[in-house]
């Protein structure tokens, strides 16, 4: 543990104590490695680095489990369209669902349709304990060791301190207040004539718990033309973050047998920068938020809180101390550029951010200084982000939202203090900017 956390002085003390006690022949790995590398005796004085060998293989040798974690509010709490729109599997022609809706979770988790509920993933009935091991029916039947996938439902919410490591506090409060203003329940809406509720339950009930012929409704608001929210959306986003954090814990913790993890979460997050939408001209642009250009405008792109960045910052900030984590990498693969995640990675080095504003009396700009390290001033050397996505320019064939992240757009770790607009983002949007809060 001393070695894993970089405490070389403590490591030296242990090594010298074990050698002095004459027990070195009984040392177990990796203590044996410590003793052998320090076998020169007093050649390494306290305070000097002991050349300890790194493990020959990767983190957590022998771990063979994949954890499947899911946040239930992604299905039952974050509502982006009229529930009746999803009542028919085909949707209603006059009221098509938006691309980001609860079906994204249902196709993975519903009992009748869920891919992750098939035999290939579910396996024997099992539960995931706090140590990440499989217990229950699987353990009782003696097949726990052959069960590759273990499950965990995460209902707790992330601590706001973990979220504020990457996002600005005012932005988080804006989302919370916008959601709190929306009604959590409206009278059940009847199904349109000729539409049959289709949720895999022959009796007409289903995942939403409604009666046949009627579907409970909620009030829906919008942060922009793309991004819809409901009363529980902020909680759902915080639950997503907690899910990713718990996945990171299960993978980092050497006492578990979990090697990797897959999280089923919504709302998504990779377009959410420090204060929401990323500047439309790209990360280095000082373009106005309303500039059309090649960017995605002021859209959140369905995203609220960047759960991946929250999990990555947790792995660096907490994992470095608890488990000796040295480096963290995020690989984003999606048809859209992960511009929000890239912007959040950019704030770990000192930078400035310029905003434009307009009043009835004139226009101007204001510049703020930004530095949100996840661990220390060496973050730039120990963090890596890459996005694989579609890219095109307006008027030149295909164009992909948000219009940033062109091929080989690479930036290294800059140590120059206050790099201008190293991670420029838009200003804070108004609470439900278009003023809409419609009941559906």
């Amino acid at each position: 543990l001393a070695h894993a956390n970089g405490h070389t002085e403590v490591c030296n003390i242990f090594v010298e104590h074990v050698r002095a006690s004459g027990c070195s022949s009984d040392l177990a790995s990796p203590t044996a490695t410590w003793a052998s590398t320090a076998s020169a005796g007093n050649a390494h004085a306290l305070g000097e680095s002991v050349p300890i060998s790194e493990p020959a293989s990767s983190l957590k040798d022998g771990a063979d489990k994949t954890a499947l974690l899911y946040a239930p509010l992604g299905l039952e709490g974050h509502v982006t369209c009229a529930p009746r729109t999803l009542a028919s599997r085909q949707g209603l022609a006059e009221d098509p669902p938006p691309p980001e809706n609860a079906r994204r979770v249902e196709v993975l988790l519903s009992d009748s349709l869920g891919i992750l509920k098939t035999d290939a993933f579910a396996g024997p009935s099992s539960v995931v304990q706090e140590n990440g091991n499989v217990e229950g029916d699987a353990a009782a039947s003696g097949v726990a060791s052959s069960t590759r996938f273990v499950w965990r439902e995460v209902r707790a919410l992330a601590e706001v301190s973990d979220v504020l490591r990457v996002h600005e506090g005012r932005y988080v409060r804006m989302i919370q207040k916008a959601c709190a203003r929306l009604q959590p329940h409206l009278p059940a809406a009847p199904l349109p004539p000729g539409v049959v509720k289709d949720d895999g339950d022959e009796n007409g009930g289903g995942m939403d718990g409604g009666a046949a012929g009627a579907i409970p409704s909620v009030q829906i608001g919008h942060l922009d033309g793309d991004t819809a929210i409901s009363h529980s959306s902020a909680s759902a986003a915080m639950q997503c973050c907690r899910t990713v954090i718990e996945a990171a814990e299960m993978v980092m913790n050497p006492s578990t047998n979990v090697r990797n993890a897959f999280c089923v979460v919504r709302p998504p997050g990779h377009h959410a920068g420090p204060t929401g939408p990323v500047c439309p001209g790209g990360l280095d642009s000082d373009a106005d938020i309303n500039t059309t250009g090649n960017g995605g405008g002021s859209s959140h792109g369905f995203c609220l809180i960047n759960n991946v960045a929250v999990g990555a910052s947790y792995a660096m900030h907490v994992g470095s101390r608890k488990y000796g984590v040295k480096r963290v990498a995020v690989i984003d693969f999606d048809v859209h550029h992960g511009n929000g995640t890239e912007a959040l990675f950019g704030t770990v080095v000192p930078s400035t951010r310029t905003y434009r504003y307009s009043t009835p009396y004139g226009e101007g700009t204001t510049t703020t200084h930004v530095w949100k390290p996840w661990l220390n001033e060496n973050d730039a050397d120990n963090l890596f982000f890459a996005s694989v996505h579609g890219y095109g320019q307006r008027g030149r064939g295909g164009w992909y939202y948000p219009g940033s992240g062109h091929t080989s757009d690479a930036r290294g770790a800059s140590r120059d203090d206050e790099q201008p607009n190293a991670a420029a983002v838009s200003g804070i949007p108004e609470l439900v900017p278009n003023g809409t809060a419609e009941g559906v």
Side-chain angles (χ1 to χ4, degrees):
L1 289 175
H3 174 218
N5 288 279
H7 302 310
T8 55
E9 293 185 10
V10 177
C11 182
N12 276 340
I13 292 174
F14 282 136
V15 170
E16 291 299 321
H17 176 74
V18 171
R19 289 177 64 252
S21 65
C23 302
S24 59
S25 61
D26 297 326
L27 292 176
S29 179
T31 312
T33 305
W34 299 349
S36 63
T37 54
S39 58
N42 294 329
H44 300 289
L46 292 180
E48 296 180 348
S49 175
V50 178
I52 301 174
S53 303
E54 291 294 329
S57 55
S58 61
L59 179 69
K60 295 185 69 169
D61 290 339
D64 59 355
K65 310 299 183 188
T66 292
L68 302 176
L69 301 91
Y70 65 99
L73 284 179
L75 177 63
E76 60 196 41
H78 178 52
V79 181
T80 59
C81 65
R84 73 188 188 103
T85 303
L86 300 178
S88 170
R89 201 162 284 149
Q90 291 75 34
L92 306 178
E94 69 274 15
D95 190 17
E100 207 296 303
N101 62 69
R103 288 291 192 211
R104 288 185 168 187
V105 175
E106 288 187 16
V107 297
L108 294 174
L109 294 180
S110 72
D111 290 333
S112 59
L113 301 173
I115 295 173
L116 295 180
K117 290 301 184 73
T118 60
D119 291 342
F121 294 97
S125 174
S126 61
V127 294
V128 183
Q129 303 301 314
E130 287 301 318
N131 61 4
N133 293 316
V134 182
E135 294 185 6
D137 294 346
S141 63
V143 296
S145 61
S146 63
T147 304
R148 179 180 173 188
F149 299 98
V150 293
W151 285 81
R152 174 175 288 180
E153 178 187 85
V154 180
R155 290 193 171 270
L157 307 185
E159 300 292 346
V160 70
S161 58
D162 288 324
V163 175
L164 296 185
R165 200 174 293 120
V166 298
H167 286 293
E168 299 294 342
R170 188 179 170 215
Y171 170 67
V172 176
R173 288 295 293 146
M174 181 275 291
I175 293 176
Q176 292 174 334
K177 291 180 179 179
C179 294
R181 289 202 304 266
L182 301 172
Q183 295 297 320
H185 302 290
L186 294 177
L191 286 173
V195 176
V196 178
K197 186 175 181 182
D198 183 3
D199 53 18
D201 189 334
E202 296 178 356
N203 297 319
M207 299 183 73
D208 58 21
I215 300 179
S217 298
V218 299
Q219 187 180 23
I220 294 177
H222 289 83
L223 296 179
D224 53 58
D226 295 325
T227 310
I229 57 173
S230 59
H231 181 81
S232 297
S233 293
S235 295
M238 296 294 280
Q239 196 175 79
C240 291
C241 295
R242 180 61 175 264
T243 303
V244 178
I245 286 174
E246 291 203 15
E249 270 285 340
M250 294 174 73
V251 173
M252 293 188 296
N253 191 336
S255 68
T256 73
N257 57 356
V258 173
R259 187 172 184 82
N260 49 37
F262 179 82
C263 299
V264 181
V265 296
R266 66 178 286 270
H270 77 155
H271 295 308
T275 57
V278 175
C279 210
L283 294 179
D284 289 335
S285 171
D286 60 358
D288 189 1
I289 185 174
N290 296 317
T291 301
T292 53
N294 193 48
S298 59
S299 172
H300 292 248
F302 313 132
C303 299
L304 299 183
I305 304 295
N306 199 311
N307 49 77
V308 167
V310 170
S313 67
Y314 178 90
M316 176 59 75
H317 185 81
V318 179
S320 63
R321 294 173 170 85
K322 291 178 65 177
Y323 308 117
V325 171
K326 301 299 183 185
R327 281 172 254 174
V328 175
V330 171
I331 311 297
D332 184 313
F333 53 98
D334 187 79
V335 71
H336 303 129
H337 173 217
N339 58 336
T341 310
E342 184 173 342
L344 293 174
F345 269 71
T347 63
V348 302
V349 295
S351 61
T352 59
R353 189 179 302 156
T354 300
Y355 302 93
R356 297 187 181 189
Y357 63 88
S358 177
T359 73
Y361 306 101
E363 298 180 347
T365 61
T366 182
T367 299
T368 61
H369 300 266
V370 180
W371 187 20
K372 295 177 74 71
W374 294 357
L375 182 62
N376 55 38
E377 63 276 7
N378 297 318
D379 282 354
D381 293 329
N382 298 317
L383 297 175
F384 176 83
F385 173 78
S387 177
V388 180
H389 52 268
Y391 175 78
Q393 295 180 320
R394 292 188 187 275
R396 299 184 181 180
W399 178 82
Y400 297 87
Y401 173 89
S404 56
H406 63 79
T407 301
S408 300
D409 178 15
R411 62 193 72 243
S414 173
R415 296 195 171 280
D416 294 336
D417 189 37
E418 298 179 354
Q419 291 296 304
N421 294 310
V425 296
S426 73
I428 304 276
E430 296 296 326
L431 299 181
V432 193
N434 60 10
T436 61
E438 58 195 60
V440 295

